[in-house]
Amino acid sequence: MSKIDVSIVIPTKNAGPLLDRVLQAVFEQKTEYVYEVICVDSGSKDETLDIIRKYPCRLFQIPPEEFGHGKTRNYGAAQGTGTFIVFITQDALPAADTWLQNFIDAMKLDERIAGGFGIHYPYPDCNLLDVRDLANHFKGFGETNTVYFLEDRERYEREEGYRHFLAFFSDNNACLRRSVWEKYPYEDVNFAEDQFWARKMIELGYGKVYCPYAPVYHSHNYKLTTYFARYYDEHKGLYELHGYENARHWTALPGMLYRQVRGDCAYIRHLEIPKRKKIYWAFYSLMRNFDRFWGGYMGGKYHTYSPAKQRFLDRHISQQYKQRKA
């Protein structure tokens, strides 16, 4: 039996037909590395299992109540033997047939690299504000393979933005060195398991690599009604991770909302789209950023609430809570 170089782990649940395209792209990779594909399904009721069985995947099934972002990925990784562990999500479509080759090549740049993450491209139907934000976000990490270490501890302690930058990691499209993961597996947390892990690795002296040559398509067009819950959950995680709050007091939120919407409108104004589309996207910016700042504020203040209020808010707002209960 050939030695396995890479274990690709994909958690699934009700993935829909997009999973077929994801797995097809995974199995069409042009690479010198020997890889296995491990799918961990947590109670799919749609065609997900039939799609997985079309391909030479190793399928493991767990009860829905056993799912956890960190522990399910740990479970999947533990079923494999690859020197490297690649995590992608069920809706992250490799955008090149050299995705895997380039990812592992980047990991081999330095033996001190614990993990790496690749660029995300927007799907063709992605909304125009997210197209802009995705491009700007990943551009900030470099134009070529770039390795990051914690080189200025004083700055790290002092500067919140620097801490966020070094801890950013996305297991929508990530690679981990198994020898490091075995010592330091993911924590069993409700949100941001990837960034908790990356922060720990950076603080322990390991490096991370950003690989723009390992692209996936990954974006979402959520309904406006879902963003409040998503930002609430996101900022709960950001507080646990960094102690970050988007505002100290709610009175700062209207000004934050105004500045963000004004910037979005300036961007929209210069786009070559019909006027009615510009009006639509301006309204979209207002509604989504309202959810962003107010939902984020409530999530960031979660630690200050009484246990009874925390339970109430989680039941009525949190998507993570509803997914666990489902």
Side-chain angles (χ1 to χ4, degrees), residues 200-218:
K200 178 184 286 187
M201 296 305 99
I202 285 290
E203 292 178 352
L204 287 171
Y206 291 101
K208 71 173 184 180
V209 63
Y210 166 60
C211 182
Y213 309 121
V216 297
Y217 289 105
H218 186 262

Side-chain angles (χ1 to χ4, degrees), residues 158-303:
R158 168 176 47 85
E159 192 175 315
E160 186 171 272
Y162 185 56
R163 293 196 298 273
H164 287 218
F165 182 79
L166 285 182
F168 178 80
F169 197 74
S170 174
D171 59 21
N172 292 310
N173 183 27
C175 184
L176 281 62
R177 193 178 299 272
R178 180 177 291 276
S179 59
V180 177
W181 170 82
E182 288 175 342
K183 294 179 183 177
Y184 306 106
Y186 274 175
E187 294 182 31
D188 183 14
V189 293
N190 293 327
F191 198 86
E193 73 292 336
D194 42 8
Q195 296 193 65
F196 272 100
W197 184 84
R199 183 186 67 177
K200 178 184 286 187
M201 296 305 99
I202 285 290
E203 292 178 352
L204 287 171
Y206 291 101
K208 71 173 184 180
V209 63
Y210 166 60
C211 182
Y213 309 121
V216 297
Y217 289 105
H218 186 262
S219 60
H220 296 285
N221 283 334
Y222 295 115
K223 295 179 181 178
L224 277 173
T225 52
T226 70
Y227 277 112
F228 192 92
R230 294 192 64 81
Y231 287 122
Y232 170 83
D233 285 334
E234 178 181 311
H235 282 258
K236 277 178 61 179
L238 284 173
Y239 184 83
E240 291 182 31
L241 181 63
H242 294 296
Y244 173 76
E245 297 175 319
N246 67 352
R248 295 291 183 182
H249 194 269
W250 70 267
T251 54
L253 299 179
M256 295 166 63
L257 176 62
Y258 170 75
R259 289 187 292 273
Q260 183 63 50
V261 173
R262 183 179 63 182
D264 286 349
C265 287
Y267 170 73
I268 293 166
R269 190 179 307 120
H270 291 92
L271 295 176
E272 295 183 0
I273 56 177
K275 184 176 180 180
R276 61 184 178 81
K277 287 287 188 181
K278 292 182 179 182
I279 294 171
Y280 168 83
W281 286 112
F283 175 77
Y284 177 94
S285 169
L286 175 64
M287 300 304 295
R288 178 169 168 181
N289 283 302
F290 177 90
D291 290 347
R292 173 185 179 185
F293 292 118
W294 285 90
Y297 177 78
M298 293 182 68
K301 291 293 184 182
Y302 182 83
H303 64 288

